[in-house]
Amino acid sequence: MIPRTLFDADLEGFRSTVKKFLDKEAVPYHAQWEKDGQVSREVWTKAGEMGFLCPTAPEAYGGLGCDFRYSAVLIEEVARAGCSGIGWSLHSDIIMPYILNWGTEAQKQHYIPKLISGEMIGAIAMTEPGAGSDLQGVKTTAIKKGDHYVLNGSKTFITNGQMADLVIVVAKTNPAEGAKGTSLFLVEAGTEGFEKGSNLEKVGMKAQDTSELFFNDVKIPADNLLGSAEGMGFIALMQELPQERLIVGLGAVAACEAALELTKEYVKERTAFGKSIAKFQNTRFKMAEMHADTTAMRVFVDRCLELHLEKKLDIPTAAMMKQISTDLQCRVMDECVQLHGGYGYMWEYPIARAWADSRVQKIYAGTNEIMKEIVARAIL
């Protein structure tokens, strides 16, 4: 194995703490959460008490002021444990940074401590029934009237949608200007006219609450605009996307590594024609191929993490990493299910859940087709 050099003893100690927490507070309950369609609020508040939420938040707002490696550890261990219902990374590494990087001082002081503690759970409402990866196609509007905006529209496929207390909503403040007319707003649950629709039933990630959101003449104070002026939403979205795609890539590789461990143990124990299926050449070659591909991907994703820590991870590189890591994840899951035979298709086996959970990785954070287009524009 190629040793990882990014994580020192302190970080490995943190990793051990995260593993123990997940083994005690999440893994035993995840099957029930899948039936419930969401995780418990208790696991959020306990995570907050442990410092697992928003670890990169500055100390000035009650955070630990850690670098992104601490977030990477959490992303990897949640993926490795198969706890796909836990939406911490979206909350900590997407929602909080939007407020930190684009919010007013008053917004930071008000919201970031509540995100750190788990008192508030965050979500971001980008996708609409008619606009997914093409964010310029957003139809939701926020029209200014005096000292407030009136928000109208609907969103779908919103992670943490049912449990969210705070939602960053992408809306058009000037629909005629396309991307330049896009703005971001902070909207709290319970605001009049803001309704949560059904908790969507998905193929995988069944413990992750994924929701429709509806905004009907929602009055938003002008102070809830993110950014120093209208029309900054698209710029903010583009600048934050490399980290979002790194999150996906880190989870993809960790999920591959976990699947290979599960499969290695299974093929050693399972017998066919009088011998372990680990003795058959097809099994051995498949495992060797997947191990090589995952090792290579780990090195690449770790290099992207290094670049991100240096603030040098650019949009095309992040897009390339997101695309190839999730393509590999889906391929590895499919091969591992095949090596499990009929048992691989049984929901009680972790590999079946991992296979179902993996498929959406090629869709969210920008589809892999969009990722290829971003890379193509950069090289052609």
Side-chain angles (χ1 to χ4, degrees):
M1 291 292 293
I2 296 175
R4 301 181 74 185
T5 57
L6 270 167
F7 301 93
D8 57 22
D10 287 344
L11 277 151
E12 290 305 337
F14 180 66
R15 187 184 299 276
S16 177
T17 301
V18 174
K19 283 181 179 177
K20 289 174 183 174
F21 179 90
L22 292 171
D23 285 344
K24 180 183 178 183
E25 304 290 351
V27 174
Y29 308 106
H30 206 268
Q32 183 59 49
W33 292 342
E34 288 174 345
K35 294 174 184 176
D36 297 340
Q38 64 183 51
V39 304
S40 68
R41 275 211 171 248
E42 188 179 19
V43 79
W44 279 91
T45 54
K46 286 183 176 180
E49 290 167 5
M50 294 293 292
F52 295 164
L53 301 180
C54 310
T56 61
E59 293 180 16
Y61 305 111
L64 299 175
C66 298
D67 65 50
F68 190 76
R69 292 176 300 169
Y70 285 82
S71 289
V73 166
L74 285 155
I75 293 160
E76 290 174 358
E77 294 312 315
V78 167
R80 211 182 307 277
C83 294
S84 58
I86 294 177
W88 294 343
S89 59
L90 175 93
H91 169 96
S92 299
D93 305 309
I94 297 176
I95 307 307
M96 190 281 293
Y98 271 110
I99 299 171
L100 180 65
N101 296 334
W102 300 92
T104 64
E105 187 59 31
Q107 289 169 344
K108 295 175 193 178
Q109 293 282 0
H110 182 69
Y111 289 114
I112 292 178
K114 294 179 181 180
L115 295 175
I116 292 168
S117 68
E119 179 185 342
M120 289 189 115
I121 294 173
I124 186 163
M126 296 188 197
T127 305
E128 298 182 357
S133 295
D134 178 18
L135 292 175
Q136 297 186 54
V138 164
K139 301 297 183 187
T140 297
T141 59
I143 307 303
K144 193 167 188 182
K145 296 191 176 181
D147 63 352
H148 66 273
Y149 290 85
V150 177
L151 185 64
N152 279 288
S154 64
K155 301 290 183 176
T156 193
F157 309 142
I158 307 306
T159 301
N160 292 348
Q162 287 291 310
M163 300 184 74
D165 305 291
L166 177 67
V167 182
I168 296 175
V169 180
V170 180
K172 293 285 181 67
T173 42
N174 191 333
E177 291 191 5
K180 292 180 180 178
T182 304
S183 301
L184 305 180
F185 293 89
L186 295 166
V187 183
E188 294 189 27
T191 303
E192 186 177 354
F194 171 25
E195 297 179 4
K196 298 176 180 181
S198 59
N199 192 4
L200 302 172
E201 188 173 358
K202 305 179 297 298
V203 171
M205 302 190 84
K206 292 180 180 293
Q208 171 58 252
D209 58 307
T210 307
S211 229
E212 298 172 306
L213 303 178
F214 301 99
F215 306 94
N216 300 301
D217 291 329
V218 180
K219 288 179 67 174
I220 305 296
D223 289 345
N224 283 35
L225 174 71
L226 260 185
S228 58
E230 288 184 8
M232 296 182 67
F234 201 76
I235 297 169
L237 290 166
M238 293 304 102
Q239 290 194 14
E240 299 298 329
L241 278 172
Q243 178 159 300
E244 182 176 353
R245 289 164 183 163
L246 178 60
I247 291 166
V248 175
L250 286 163
V253 182
C256 287
E257 291 168 342
L260 288 175
E261 281 300 311
L262 287 172
T263 307
K264 181 175 73 174
E265 295 306 313
Y266 180 82
V267 298
K268 285 180 177 179
E269 295 171 3
R270 178 71 172 172
T271 59
F273 305 104
K275 62 180 179 181
S276 163
I277 63 172
K279 300 293 185 183
F280 289 96
Q281 187 183 68
N282 179 69
T283 304
R284 299 173 70 80
F285 281 14
K286 289 289 186 185
M287 291 296 293
E289 288 170 4
M290 290 189 289
H291 177 75
D293 290 343
T294 301
T295 299
M297 193 63 65
R298 164 59 67 207
V299 173
F300 178 52
V301 172
D302 275 1
R303 179 59 185 141
C304 288
L305 174 55
E306 286 179 336
L307 288 170
H308 186 57
L309 292 166
E310 297 166 5
K311 302 189 185 304
K312 295 178 182 177
L313 180 62
D314 59 39
I315 289 173
T317 303
M320 176 169 55
M321 178 267 302
K322 189 268 179 183
Q323 180 246 310
I324 62 174
S325 64
T326 56
D327 280 351
L328 175 65
Q329 181 183 3
C330 289
R331 188 164 69 250
V332 166
M333 296 306 162
D334 199 60
E335 293 283 12
C336 287
V337 165
Q338 191 71 21
L339 289 172
H340 275 75
Y343 290 104
Y345 203 63
M346 298 297 107
W347 194 252
E348 66 187 273
Y349 277 69
I351 195 63
R353 289 176 160 92
W355 174 72
D357 290 344
S358 69
R359 187 58 183 83
V360 74
Q361 289 267 85
K362 297 203 290 184
I363 297 172
Y364 57 28
T367 66
N368 281 10
E369 289 73 24
I370 295 293
M371 299 304 98
K372 292 173 187 177
E373 182 61 31
I374 291 169
V375 174
R377 288 178 184 176
I379 64 174
L380 295 176

